[in-house]
Amino acid sequence: VSPKSYLNTQEAADLLRLSPRTLEGMRQDGSGPPYIKAGIGRRSRVIYDVADILAWIESHRLAPKSAEPQPETILEADELPT
């Protein structure tokens, strides 16, 4: 295992182009990428596996709205706006 495959909060935030505070908030509410808490208690450190971050990014990929087929809406005569 290479030490370079793990990032601290600042480095992970830089990779994601977020502020460290935003990433910390995402960690607290469970919406961010997986992380590892290394150590016990107040001296513990949070680190991120680069592979986990990249997988998290891919899992949040969205298709452009224009690529999604839009259903046709056919209105009956009594449903037409007046």
Side-chain angles (χ1 to χ4, degrees):
V1 176
S2 167
K4 292 192 180 236
S5 64
Y6 295 95
L7 304 175
N8 64 29
T9 299
Q10 179 66 58
E11 294 164 335
D14 290 345
L15 176 62
L16 293 166
R17 296 189 176 163
L18 299 171
S19 74
R21 295 278 294 199
T22 297
L23 186 55
E24 289 167 3
M26 293 170 77
R27 187 169 65 233
Q28 290 177 346
D29 70 19
S31 66
Y35 64 95
I36 300 162
K37 194 162 185 180
I40 299 172
R42 299 180 80 193
R43 303 198 91 171
S44 66
R45 293 281 206 217
V46 170
I47 57 175
Y48 294 85
D49 186 322
V50 172
D52 285 345
I53 293 174
L54 297 177
W56 182 81
I57 291 169
E58 283 301 312
S59 75
H60 286 78
R61 182 182 296 268
L62 300 174
K65 293 282 185 192
S66 61
E68 295 176 11
Q70 299 296 318
E72 285 188 39
T73 303
I74 300 173
L75 298 176
E76 298 295 326
D78 60 342
E79 297 175 328
L80 294 173
T82 55

